[in-house]
Amino acid sequence: MAEQLRLMAVHAHPDDESSKGAATMAKYVADGVQVLVVTCTGGERGSVLNPKLDRPDVWANIAEIRRAEMDSARAILGVDQAWLGFVDSGLPEGDPLPPLPEGCFALQDAEVAAGPLVRLMREFRPHVVTTYDEEGGYPHPDHIMCHKVSVAAFDAAGDPERFPELGEPWQPLKLYYDIGFSKAKIMALHEGMLALGKESPYAEWLERWEGRPDKGPRITTRVECASYFPVRDDALRAHATQVDPDGFWFHVPMELQQQAWPTEDFELVRSVVDSPMPESDLFAGVRETVHAR
């Protein structure tokens, strides 16, 4: 029998897996790929963004609630999931910014903090790993640390001289960064809303875009997964404390999303296999290598 393909997606908090690359994961699960979501922190210091749940009883049990939400989202996506066990750093606000809490994820030494992820990589043996870019997708301290730890673990997992106590070496074949939004994607959704005679939730976003870098040119890989957008949204709604069901994320009609931008987009940043660019499959070049073994 052919070896089963395996995908590992490394995220900072519970809910990140449902807002970044979730439809891609659901598609690959349906295709028979084994998918493991790795969640670096428990999301203990995140905000309650659903006004219906901004209550004292929710705040008093936020860590347990977020774990239960993660269980629900995991089941919807059909993935496996593992916790790295680090403590949420929170998103500092103010001028000047306050110091980060002692012991939080973002204050760890990235090379040391990569150890638990190296262990998981050697146990799960992923062929492909996805994570955030050097800015964390957006500059949350935990997202930036997630990037650092993921890259460090990808580079260390296959090296028998590094972390020898953490299992047999395993070298993943490809590393990707999620590219959640490009200017072209935002424009496509914005113009689609206007064409329907609806108010666009992206108007202010585009106004603020002036002078900001566009990550669109970095995209190497577009995975067509529009039919799994409803699964993505169901998983996101499962993180009920983190998402307002009447909020921004759900203003664009599903049919428009599927027509205007039917892919989730990634940047290939490490590869030990050959695959022609641009790609439409995270496992391009990997399938041939694995099936040849």
Side-chain angles (χ1 to χ4, degrees):
M1 293 180 63
E3 182 179 356
Q4 185 177 24
L5 297 174
R6 294 180 294 277
L7 170 66
M8 173 183 282
V10 189
H11 289 281
H13 311 105
D15 86 281
D16 287 328
E17 84 297 325
S18 297
S19 61
K20 303 166 188 66
T24 295
M25 291 192 292
K27 166 190 160 54
Y28 281 122
V29 168
D31 289 346
V33 175
Q34 188 176 0
V35 180
L36 176 66
V37 168
V38 179
T39 312
C40 294
T41 79
E44 305 90 344
R45 291 191 170 101
S47 302
V48 174
L49 300 176
N50 183 347
K52 298 181 182 68
L53 294 177
D54 191 2
R55 308 189 308 256
D57 61 307
V58 170
W59 281 108
N61 298 285
I62 195 66
E64 293 80 4
I65 289 171
R66 294 228 159 115
R67 280 185 170 265
E69 291 173 344
M70 183 69 245
D71 285 343
S72 297
R74 173 192 52 72
I76 290 166
L77 293 173
V79 301
D80 296 316
Q81 189 261 341
W83 302 92
L84 279 197
F86 294 103
V87 177
D88 189 348
S89 306
L91 181 60
E93 296 179 305
D95 187 13
L97 291 174
L100 292 171
E102 184 177 351
C104 70
F105 181 46
L107 292 181
Q108 305 301 309
D109 180 288
E111 292 297 318
V112 175
L117 186 54
V118 169
R119 182 191 296 275
L120 270 180
M121 285 185 180
R122 290 176 177 176
E123 291 174 354
F124 180 66
R125 295 158 62 93
H127 301 103
V128 174
V129 177
T130 66
T131 191
Y132 313 142
D133 67 16
E134 67 283 351
E135 295 178 344
Y138 80 105
H140 188 298
D142 283 338
H143 285 239
I144 294 170
M145 180 58 76
C146 178
H147 157 79
K148 293 177 180 178
V149 165
S150 299
V151 173
F154 184 93
D155 291 341
D159 186 344
E161 295 185 2
R162 300 185 65 187
F163 301 102
E165 73 283 6
L166 298 183
E168 289 296 315
W170 173 262
Q171 181 57 62
L173 301 178
K174 298 173 89 173
L175 175 66
Y176 288 92
Y177 295 159
D178 293 292
I179 305 291
F181 285 96
S182 60
K183 190 170 186 180
K185 178 177 180 177
I186 295 170
M187 283 296 299
L189 295 170
H190 173 71
E191 291 173 353
M193 288 292 282
L194 297 182
L196 292 175
K198 296 179 178 290
E199 183 180 357
S200 169
Y202 296 103
E204 289 186 16
W205 197 338
L206 286 168
E207 288 175 8
R208 296 195 304 268
W209 195 284
E210 198 65 34
R212 295 173 58 187
D214 177 17
K215 295 182 181 178
R218 295 173 55 169
I219 294 170
T220 61
T221 312
R222 302 180 188 273
V223 179
E224 187 145 347
C225 51
S227 60
Y228 295 93
F229 288 178
V231 180
R232 172 203 66 194
D233 285 4
D234 286 346
L236 194 54
R237 280 188 285 263
H239 291 283
T241 58
Q242 290 288 81
V243 179
D244 182 353
D246 302 316
F248 174 89
W249 285 107
F250 306 107
H251 283 183
V252 181
M254 179 57 64
E255 296 79 8
L256 172 58
Q257 293 183 51
Q258 292 171 321
Q259 293 169 9
W261 205 270
T263 65
E264 289 182 335
D265 306 328
F266 301 85
E267 178 188 9
L268 177 62
V269 291
R270 297 267 206 289
S271 182
V272 297
V273 297
D274 293 326
S275 59
M277 296 293 160
E279 299 176 321
S280 59
D281 178 13
L282 299 183
F283 290 91
V286 172
R287 297 177 190 275
E288 298 82 354
T289 300
V290 171
H291 294 161
R293 289 173 178 168

